[in-house]
């Protein structure tokens, strides 16, 4: 296979998965580690991928660019479902929980129909819709008002005032990106504000983030990695990332996909 053909195949693989490891590409294409690194360098020079430690990810948008909920909902669906199932295991009957906006938290909402006596506070229209579609007489859903964002989150002073008067046992927080330097981030300044309010209202913080969120950086930091009591992610997260995250979060939960 010619270098250009291999690079095209690598780019398509990254587009499908969101990111790849050098070791996987070496095995897949039967070439040396150095050859793959040169391929990734060539793709990075063209602005098509971002090189990260041990691999590459699809070149990300600007730190303030925010994809809509519908666009994000079709990405890493299997990973998000597995992460949601891992998070659902942390929900107990009678709890008061909060779910932030996000496609992974929306996936979690679909799994809560059988939890009795649950109170769910959310600023996410899709999360509230998921719970309303499977109503229980002994569940209470509290949807804040506020200014709607591309992620279908309700934000701003109205939402923040509503959250500020509440106290919940656990917050399940979806994030745009995470890194040791910037912590958990979002591309939307208004969402950063409401997410900080949600963190302040919760006794425990559980962050839900698939492996593609690693080294993705939004314009606004929500919280440092060390604020998370639990981080639930998938097995696609590289070993070095697991080590760095594990040193900072209270507990790292890695779920298998499929």
């Amino acid at each position: 296979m010619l270098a250009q053909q291999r690079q095209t195949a690598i780019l398509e693989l990254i587009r499908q998965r969101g990111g790849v490891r050098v070791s996987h590409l070496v095995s897949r294409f039967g070439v040396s580690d150095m050859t793959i690194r040169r391929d990734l360098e060539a793709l990075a020079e063209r602005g098509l991928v971002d090189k990260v430690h041990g691999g590459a990810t699809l070149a990300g948008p600007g730190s303030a660019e925010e994809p809509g909920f519908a666009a994000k909902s079709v990405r890493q669906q299997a990973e998000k479902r597995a992460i949601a199932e891992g998070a659902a295991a942390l929900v107990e009957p009678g709890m008061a929980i909060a779910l932030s906006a996000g496609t992974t938290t929306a996936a979690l909402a679909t799994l809560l129909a059988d939890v009795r006596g649950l109170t769910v506070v959310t600023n996410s229209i899709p999360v509230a819709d998921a719970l309303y579609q499977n109503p229980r007489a002994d569940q209470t859903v509290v949807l804040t008002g506020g200014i709607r964002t591309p992620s279908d989150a309700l934000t701003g002073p109205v939402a923040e005032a509503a959250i500020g008067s509440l106290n919940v046992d656990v917050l399940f927080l979806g994030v745009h990106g995470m890194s040791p330097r910037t912590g958990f981030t979002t591309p939307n300044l208004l969402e950063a504000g409401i997410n900080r309010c949600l963190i302040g209202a919760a006794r425990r913080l559980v962050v839900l983030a698939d492996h593609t969120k690693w080294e993705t950086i939004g314009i606004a930091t929500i919280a440092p990695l060390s604020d998370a009591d639990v981080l639930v992610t998938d097995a696609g997260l590289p070993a070095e990332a697991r080590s760095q995250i594990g040193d900072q979060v209270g507990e790292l939960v890695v779920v298998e996909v499929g």
Side-chain angles (χ1 to χ4, degrees):
M1 181 181 290
L2 298 176
Q4 186 174 356
Q5 293 174 312
R6 187 174 56 250
Q7 289 167 19
T8 299
I10 290 171
L11 181 58
E12 181 59 28
L13 195 62
I14 293 174
R15 283 173 174 162
Q16 292 173 1
R17 300 187 174 191
V20 292
R21 302 180 192 178
V22 170
S23 57
H24 174 76
L25 296 176
V26 167
S27 175
R28 185 182 182 93
F29 293 102
V31 295
S32 70
D33 180 283
M34 186 60 67
T35 296
I36 292 298
R37 292 185 185 278
R38 282 197 295 265
D39 288 336
L40 295 178
E41 184 66 37
L43 291 169
E45 288 177 356
R46 293 161 58 192
L48 299 173
V49 305
D50 291 328
K51 291 179 65 182
V52 298
H53 184 80
T57 61
L58 196 62
S63 61
E65 186 173 339
E66 182 180 12
F69 183 89
K72 291 189 289 186
S73 66
V74 298
R75 301 176 182 174
Q76 284 75 50
Q77 290 178 311
E79 288 88 345
K80 291 174 182 177
R81 178 71 181 187
I83 290 169
E85 290 173 350
L90 304 176
V91 181
E92 299 177 1
M95 273 187 166
I97 66 172
L99 272 64
S100 77
T103 50
T104 310
T105 50
L108 171 58
T110 66
L111 304 177
L112 301 179
D114 293 331
V115 183
R116 60 180 176 79
L118 193 64
T119 297
V120 181
V121 177
T122 187
N123 68 317
S124 166
I125 296 170
V127 165
D129 282 344
L131 292 163
Y132 289 144
Q133 288 171 13
N134 298 285
R136 281 184 63 110
D138 62 351
Q139 285 188 351
T140 300
V141 179
V142 180
L143 176 63
T144 71
I147 301 167
R148 188 172 181 172
T149 72
S151 295
D152 285 345
L154 298 174
T155 64
V158 172
E160 291 179 14
I163 296 299
S165 65
L166 302 174
N167 300 288
V168 297
D169 298 307
V170 184
L171 165 63
F172 293 92
L173 177 70
V175 298
H176 174 77
M178 57 182 175
S179 80
R181 181 176 65 84
T182 60
F184 301 111
T185 62
T186 173
N188 189 295
L189 294 172
L190 287 173
E191 286 197 40
I194 189 64
N195 285 338
R196 292 189 199 107
C197 287
L198 286 165
I199 291 172
R203 288 196 301 111
R204 298 184 73 217
L205 171 60
V206 178
V207 176
L208 312 182
D210 68 74
H211 69 279
T212 65
K213 306 297 177 67
W214 180 245
E215 294 294 4
T216 295
I217 297 173
I219 190 172
T221 293
I222 302 166
L225 299 185
S226 58
D227 276 10
D229 296 291
V230 182
L231 172 63
V232 186
T233 188
D234 65 90
L237 190 70
E240 182 172 341
R242 297 187 197 188
S243 176
Q244 292 184 58
I245 292 172
D247 288 341
Q248 297 193 54
V249 306
E251 179 183 2
L252 178 62
V253 177
V254 180
V255 297
E256 295 295 332
V257 179

